[in-house]
């Protein structure tokens, strides 16, 4: 049984500030250790549940946050960027399930450090009219290739946002959001125990958890991704893409043949936005 783990940092217990998720300071160094420890808890739980092969993908920011020398030796690790499919790089159709550890709510929603892919550029992302954050967009890609999301961990707002999309998945709450940058968090050891136990249950139940799919709209362009940018200047930039359609001063729409293509557009626009920083 193959299990895939995508690791973010904003949803980790004890993480609440921008400083903690930005490389180059002591608070970040502490946070990346907390992140690594929560991933290890998920690995331990997956092994207890019967996993035979585990692949971990570092999915936050520069994607070199997890500490390889502290990672559980039963798992292999993907580091670095850019890489195909970004936060779900390396996910294969024969995987039994995906675990999203340390994730967060989507942009302009309640929740700790809420954003969608790029906090500088993106206000909202909708696929076929459905507003989705990172877990939703990537979970829909996993569903497209037949793999269910079996576990999600983060704050209470994230758990509530994910419930309609992944109702059968294990949802682990490690902190309660008191604002965008304030939370009531359980102790890291408690968070790890919750994740480990949930991971064990998730792997054992993986075969009964359905994949999440966004209903396609048309044969020629089954998906349409609408990206609401944070400024008209960023929308001006996105509108330079020949197949884009400008919907209003800050929103563009792009056609896509698959969820992989949807993610390609999201990551392309995110990279393009750097020219206007």
């Amino acid at each position: 049984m193959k299990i895939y783990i995508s690791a973010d940092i904003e949803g980790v217990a004890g993480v609440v500030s921008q400083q903690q998720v930005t490389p180059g300071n002591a608070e970040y160094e502490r946070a990346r250790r907390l992140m690594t420890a929560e991933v290890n808890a998920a690995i331990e739980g997956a092994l207890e549940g019967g996993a035979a092969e585990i692949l971990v993908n570092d999915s936050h920011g520069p994607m070199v946050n997890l500490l390889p020398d502290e990672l559980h030796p039963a798992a292999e690790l993907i580091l670095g960027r850019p890489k195909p499919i970004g936060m779900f790089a390396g996910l294969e159709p024969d995987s039994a399930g995906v675990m999203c550890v340390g994730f967060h709510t989507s942009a302009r929603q309640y929740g700790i450090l809420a954003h969608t892919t790029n906090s500088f550029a993106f206000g909202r992302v909708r696929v076929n009219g459905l507003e989705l954050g990172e877990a939703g967009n990537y979970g829909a890609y996993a569903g497209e290739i037949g793999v269910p999301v079996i576990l999600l961990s983060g704050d209470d707002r994230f758990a509530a946002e994910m419930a309609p999309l992944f109702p059968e998945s294990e949802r682990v709450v490690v902190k309660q959001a008191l604002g965008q940058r304030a939370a009531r968090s359980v102790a890291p050891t408690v968070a790890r125990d919750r994740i480990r136990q949930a991971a064990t249950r998730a792997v054992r139940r993986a075969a009964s958890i359905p994949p999440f799919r966004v209903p396609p709209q048309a044969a020629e362009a089954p998906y349409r991704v609408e990206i609401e940018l944070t400024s008209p200047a960023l929308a001006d930039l996105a509108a330079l893409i020949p197949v884009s359609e400008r919907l209003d001063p800050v929103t563009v729409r792009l056609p896509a043949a698959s969820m992989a293509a949807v993610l390609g557009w999201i990551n392309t626009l995110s990279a393009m936005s750097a020219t206007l920083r």
Side-chain angles (χ1 to χ4, degrees):
M1 180 182 288
K2 295 170 63 175
I3 295 297
Y4 181 91
I5 299 174
S6 179
D8 209 343
I9 198 170
E10 287 88 354
V12 169
V15 173
V16 296
S17 73
Q18 194 63 41
Q19 186 181 30
Q20 288 175 293
V21 303
T22 305
N25 64 85
E27 284 299 314
Y28 165 76
E29 293 301 324
R30 184 178 295 111
R32 71 194 297 208
R33 283 181 165 77
L34 295 173
M35 177 189 183
T36 304
E38 288 198 3
V39 169
N40 282 340
I43 295 169
E44 291 165 6
L47 292 170
E48 290 173 20
E53 181 178 334
I54 301 171
L55 178 61
V56 177
N57 182 34
D58 192 321
S59 298
H60 172 70
M63 299 184 176
V64 285
N65 309 280
L66 293 170
L67 299 164
D69 56 334
E70 294 186 14
L71 193 74
H72 195 295
E76 294 188 3
L77 176 61
I78 296 175
L79 293 167
R81 63 177 300 183
K83 53 195 173 187
I85 314 297
M87 297 180 78
F88 277 18
L91 177 65
E92 298 291 344
D94 61 347
S95 297
V98 172
M99 298 183 185
C100 297
V101 176
F103 273 57
H104 52 83
T105 51
S106 57
R108 295 183 178 170
Q109 299 296 327
Y110 291 111
I112 301 301
L113 299 168
H115 67 281
T116 299
T117 303
N118 185 322
S119 57
F120 164 71
F122 297 158
R124 287 186 173 89
V125 174
R126 291 179 289 271
V127 181
N128 291 1
L130 183 63
E131 186 171 340
L132 297 173
E134 292 168 16
N137 282 310
Y138 281 91
Y141 163 74
E144 186 175 61
I145 64 173
V147 182
V149 173
I150 61 174
L151 179 147
L152 306 110
S153 73
D155 66 31
D156 58 328
R157 298 285 189 170
F158 175 66
E161 184 179 302
M162 293 300 101
L165 304 180
F166 308 102
E168 302 300 321
S169 305
E170 295 285 336
R171 296 183 298 280
V172 185
V173 175
V174 301
K175 56 191 174 186
Q176 295 178 328
L178 302 179
Q180 226 265 347
R181 301 189 184 188
R184 176 175 175 171
S185 179
V186 302
T189 52
V190 174
R192 294 165 201 162
D193 191 52
R194 289 181 181 179
I195 291 169
R196 181 185 58 77
Q197 293 183 39
T200 300
R201 294 193 300 269
V203 171
R204 290 174 178 168
R205 296 197 303 111
S208 67
I209 298 175
F212 166 61
R213 293 183 174 91
V214 174
Q217 287 190 331
E220 69 279 4
Y223 301 103
R224 288 179 173 84
V225 55
E226 294 179 7
I227 301 179
E228 182 179 310
L229 287 307
T230 54
S231 74
L234 285 164
D236 292 342
L237 186 67
L240 296 176
I241 298 172
V243 296
S244 68
E245 178 186 358
R246 187 78 169 260
L247 301 182
D248 63 38
V250 294
T251 308
V252 297
R253 180 163 59 200
L254 294 148
S258 64
M259 280 304 303
V262 167
L263 296 176
W265 283 129
I266 291 171
N267 289 321
T268 296
L269 287 181
S270 177
M272 288 174 63
S273 73
T275 63
L276 293 181
R277 276 187 180 271

